[in-house]
């Protein structure tokens, strides 16, 4: 199994809603990532989990809350989002964290629209 | 922070033609990755280059790394419609505990019949 599975594929939410994005991999990878991608822009790193611990937070607003319940699962909890948060949210994993481990496996993303 | 500039921004080529995409870094490159993205989908890893002068090929795609010039190039030979998409270079910034992959500005490739 060489897939990273993201659910849902599409999500529409109001600014007062609470929702969660889910990501799952069964490749035994020990690093997992959340990226945000706006239209016609490259992906921007949000969070990195190394061995199930949060190791990088790229100054992401607290309305985004990541969670790594175990080595296979990664969640992104959303609360009180703004319309400008509308984007494609990509989850990725790599075998190990650290330099030289930039071969990432990406999910197909969740297209989020905030109304 | 490291910045990666890609050129051209977009490219339209006729099927069967060759093309080259360039990626220039603002800092020394210690490792360079190439990815491809279909519109609205996830990224697919293509190649990783780690040594100056290194060159790798996969099917009709060849990538080279020139550390001295802080550049990498991606060359596609005899392009096909399946090559269409967004090509992104990425540089690995080691922060000690995690790999932080930063992506270039992207090149949109269209292949016409």
């Amino acid at each position: 199994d060489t897939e990273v599975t993201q659910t849902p594929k599409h999500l529409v939410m109001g600014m007062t809603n609470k929702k969660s994005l889910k990501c799952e991999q069964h490749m035994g990878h020990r690093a997992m990532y959340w990226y945000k991608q706006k239209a016609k822009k490259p992906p921007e790193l949000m969070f990195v989990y190394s061995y199930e611990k949060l190791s990088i937070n790229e100054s992401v607003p607290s309305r985004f809350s990541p969670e790594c319940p175990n080595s296979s699962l990664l969640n992104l909890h959303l609360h009180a989002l703004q319309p400008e948060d509308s984007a494609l949210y990509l989850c990725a994993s790599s075998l190990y964290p650290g330099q030289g481990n930039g071969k990432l496996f990406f999910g197909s993303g969740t297209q989020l629209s905030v109304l | 922070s490291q910045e990666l500039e890609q050129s051209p921004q977009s490219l339209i080529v006729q099927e069967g033609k060759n093309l080259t995409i360039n990626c220039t870094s603002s800092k020394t490159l210690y490792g360079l990755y190439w990815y491809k993205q279909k519109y609205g989908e996830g990224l697919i890893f293509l190649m990783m280059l780690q040594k100056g002068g290194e060159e790798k090929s996969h099917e009709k795609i060849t990538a080279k790394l020139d550390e001295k010039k802080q550049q990498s190039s991606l060359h596609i030979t005899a392009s096909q419609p399946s090559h269409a998409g967004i090509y992104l270079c990425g540089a690995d910034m080691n922060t000690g505990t995690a790999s932080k992959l930063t992506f270039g500005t992207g090149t949109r490739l269209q292949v016409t019949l």
Side-chain angles (χ1 to χ4, degrees), chain B:
Chain B
S1 62
Q2 185 160 26
E3 293 184 357
L4 298 170
E5 190 71 29
Q6 289 184 233
S7 62
Q9 280 189 320
S10 64
L11 197 53
I12 302 175
V13 298
Q14 193 175 20
E15 183 178 7
K17 298 294 185 182
N18 303 335
L19 63 108
T20 299
I21 299 168
N22 294 301
C23 174
T24 302
S25 173
S26 61
K27 296 184 178 181
T28 301
L29 288 167
Y30 295 102
L32 194 288
Y33 301 81
W34 283 99
Y35 284 81
K36 178 186 175 184
Q37 184 178 26
K38 291 284 191 180
Y39 299 104
E41 298 183 8
L43 282 66
I44 298 171
F45 170 81
L46 294 176
M47 274 174 277
M48 174 176 69
L49 304 165
Q50 291 187 302
K51 300 176 183 177
E54 186 173 12
E55 179 176 324
K56 287 188 177 179
S57 294
H58 178 66
E59 297 180 342
K60 294 185 178 181
I61 301 177
T62 300
K64 300 178 185 179
L65 177 62
D66 185 338
E67 277 187 351
K68 292 181 181 178
K69 293 185 178 179
Q70 299 177 184
Q71 282 185 336
S72 178
S73 62
L74 186 82
H75 183 78
I76 298 177
T77 303
S79 59
Q80 301 170 351
S82 60
H83 289 128
I86 303 167
Y87 289 82
L88 294 151
C89 61
D92 188 357
M93 296 177 62
N94 184 20
T95 62
T97 58
S99 178
K100 183 175 168 179
L101 196 61
T102 303
F103 290 99
T105 49
T107 297
R108 294 172 173 266
L109 172 64
Q110 294 182 47
V111 179
T112 61
L113 299 175

Side-chain angles (χ1 to χ4, degrees), chain A residues 49-113:
Chain A
Y49 273 83
S50 303
Y51 299 98
E52 298 144 58
K53 292 185 179 180
L54 183 64
S55 57
I56 293 178
N57 177 340
E58 290 287 276
S59 303
V60 179
S62 59
R63 58 185 184 268
F64 294 90
S65 176
E67 178 194 19
C68 189
N70 58 56
S71 60
S72 299
L73 296 174
L74 186 66
N75 298 321
L76 186 63
H77 302 296
L78 315 173
H79 174 56
L81 294 193
Q82 303 297 310
E84 59 264 29
D85 296 323
S86 298
L88 180 67
Y89 287 84
L90 295 164
C91 173
S93 69
S94 64
L95 184 57
Y96 297 112
Q99 193 170 28
N101 288 285
K103 180 179 179 180
L104 272 55
F105 291 74
F106 281 84
S108 56
T110 294
Q111 188 66 55
L112 174 67
S113 296

